[in-house]
Amino acid sequence: MALGKVSVNNLNLSQGAVTEVERYFLFIGAGPKSQGQVIALNTDSDLDVMLGIPASDLKTQVTAARLNGGDRWACLAIPLVAEKTWQDALTTALEQNYSFEAIVICAPVSSGDELGDMHEAAIGLSNTYGRRAFVMASSAGIQAGMSWSQYLAAQKAITEGLAAPRVLCVPQLHGNDLGVLAGRLATAEVSIADSPMRVATGAVLGLGPVPVDAEGVPLTLAVRAELDKSRFSVTQTYADYEGVYWGDGNMLDTPGSDFRVIEYLRIVDKAARRVRPLLIRRVGDRRLNSSANSMASNKTFLMTPLRAMAKSTTFAGQVFPGEIETPADDAIVLNWTSKTAIEVYISVRPLNCPKDLTANIALDLSIAE
């Protein structure tokens, strides 16, 4: 004999959104006010109130970032006291459970070892917290009494022989280049898959004065081209085209790497952030098993964030592409290595993007009928 029973359970199918950290940067630099505190800033913030009235490198870079970051710009900032380091500030932010896409360190570096330390910190974030971030560092601009030749030699020595794939370095040629690039990367006007080189985004805003060397020679495109070859990220101009723009966001990676420019790293990091919580929800879940139906359904399940990243929009006859190409059926492969361990291989394909354009013009001397 038995009594009837009815139960209704809520099933969580893991279809909700993941908290977005893209375009949210942590700025660390010396400042006279709120030292050691994590300060949340946006376009409405009074920087004199939040960061202090006196000029500081932190406030200079944050001001430039806000100007270039658009109407949805927001960031975190930690003003440092003299005896504290950026490592101390990063630890503070992590202890308070803040998440961010990039760490912007305002104090200029003078050696490759410092950049290597920053890369190790970014790797440590992934190893310890499962969080992915890149570091935006800077080097000093040209100093009084220096020629451009001497400046180039000093800068090249910083990045020579260095492998730091999660770090990019910006020479402070105009005094606020780092903040300008940080804002350009954080603007919601464009995708994280867009290069900072994108001219359609518009010219950079609020860039400091053009530097000159000891002989009064202003910064040239040739100097910037040499810095770019040494993997620095620099501004650029186009002859007979108004405005100052940006070149590639160069990562300090090795030749032949897939992640030598920032936009490739950002889309892979975003995909990883979206896939990770889905994998966590599958721990100990027998819905993921080696049967054909399970393998097919879980490939579809794990492909959900990729399809969202690939979604494009058509407006006024123009297609605004997604962040990646639409994933093919073989973009995800599941491989069981034991009864309890599975490896997932995911392919993320960026769209083609023109950075070197050439037009060939021919003269047509045929006689029209």
Side-chain angles (χ1 to χ4, degrees):
M1 304 295 291
L3 297 177
K5 296 181 181 180
V6 175
S7 297
V8 178
N9 299 317
N10 290 348
L11 300 181
N12 191 334
L13 302 182
S14 304
Q15 301 173 97
V18 175
T19 302
E20 183 170 302
V21 302
E22 287 78 25
R23 303 182 181 89
Y24 199 51
F25 294 178
L26 169 65
F27 288 75
I28 300 173
K33 187 176 180 181
S34 306
Q35 293 172 332
Q37 300 178 37
V38 183
I39 310 298
L41 302 170
N42 63 16
T43 55
D44 295 329
S45 300
D46 187 329
L47 298 185
D48 286 342
V49 172
M50 303 302 292
L51 301 178
I53 295 176
S56 67
D57 198 24
L58 175 62
K59 190 166 75 170
T60 296
Q61 306 313 319
V62 169
T63 300
R66 181 171 66 174
L67 185 60
N68 286 272
D71 60 351
R72 295 192 178 190
W73 175 87
C75 78
L76 299 170
I78 303 181
L80 290 178
V81 293
E83 64 271 14
K84 294 293 184 178
T85 66
W86 63 263
Q87 290 96 330
D88 296 325
L90 179 58
T91 298
T92 298
L94 295 174
E95 287 175 346
Q96 297 183 26
N97 202 32
Y98 285 102
S99 296
F100 32 81
E101 184 188 14
I103 307 159
V104 185
I105 301 174
C106 298
V109 302
S110 57
S111 71
D113 289 342
E114 295 176 76
L115 296 172
D117 290 342
M118 295 173 186
H119 175 65
E120 291 175 5
I123 296 298
L125 276 179
S126 178
N127 293 344
T128 304
Y129 300 95
R131 298 175 183 174
R132 290 170 174 249
F134 64 91
V135 180
M136 298 184 65
S138 67
S139 60
I142 190 167
Q143 304 300 303
M146 261 189 174
S147 67
W148 285 117
S149 177
Q150 292 170 326
Y151 179 71
L152 284 175
Q155 294 297 296
K156 286 174 177 289
I158 295 175
T159 59
E160 186 176 1
L162 176 67
R166 287 197 166 270
V167 179
L168 63 79
C169 191
V170 182
Q172 294 282 47
L173 291 164
H174 302 82
N176 61 353
D177 305 60
L178 180 64
V180 167
L181 178 57
R184 199 166 178 85
L185 293 176
T187 178
E189 180 184 350
V190 295
S191 162
I192 63 165
D194 280 306
S195 167
M197 187 187 293
R198 187 174 188 266
V199 173
T201 306
V204 301
L205 302 173
L207 192 65
V210 177
V212 297
D213 70 358
E215 298 179 358
V217 178
L219 175 65
T220 64
L221 190 57
V223 170
R224 286 180 284 199
E226 286 300 318
L227 290 169
D228 177 76
K229 290 178 185 177
S230 295
R231 301 178 294 169
F232 289 96
S233 300
V234 294
T235 59
Q236 75 169 98
T237 55
Y238 298 91
D240 299 324
Y241 196 93
E242 289 75 15
V244 179
Y245 301 88
W246 207 273
D248 260 331
N250 294 316
M251 307 308 295
L252 297 175
D253 209 346
T254 54
S257 169
D258 291 341
F259 302 105
R260 299 191 69 186
V261 290
I262 185 60
E263 61 268 25
Y264 285 175
L265 180 65
R266 295 182 85 187
I267 60 172
V268 171
D269 279 357
K270 180 174 181 177
R273 295 186 192 103
R274 300 303 186 273
V275 169
R276 184 173 183 269
L278 300 184
L279 292 175
I280 291 174
R281 291 197 62 86
R282 283 295 187 257
V283 174
D285 189 340
R286 291 188 304 116
R287 286 180 296 175
L288 175 54
N289 57 66
S290 57
S291 68
N293 285 339
S294 174
M295 296 289 274
S297 65
N298 278 283
K299 282 180 65 175
T300 301
F301 174 67
L302 294 174
M303 200 175 286
T304 301
L306 302 187
R307 295 192 187 282
M309 290 176 66
K311 188 175 182 179
S312 62
T313 302
T314 301
F315 174 73
Q318 294 192 40
V319 176
F320 296 85
E323 295 162 336
I324 58 174
E325 289 189 12
T326 301
D329 291 339
D330 60 355
I332 293 183
V333 174
L334 307 180
N335 179 37
W336 286 93
T337 58
S338 74
K339 293 287 287 184
T340 59
I342 187 171
E343 290 183 345
V344 182
Y345 295 85
I346 302 174
S347 173
V348 177
R349 184 187 293 271
L351 282 80
N352 294 348
C353 179
K355 296 182 179 180
D356 186 340
L357 292 80
T358 302
N360 299 295
I361 302 177
L363 186 64
D364 185 357
L365 296 179
S366 61
I367 299 175
E369 295 183 2

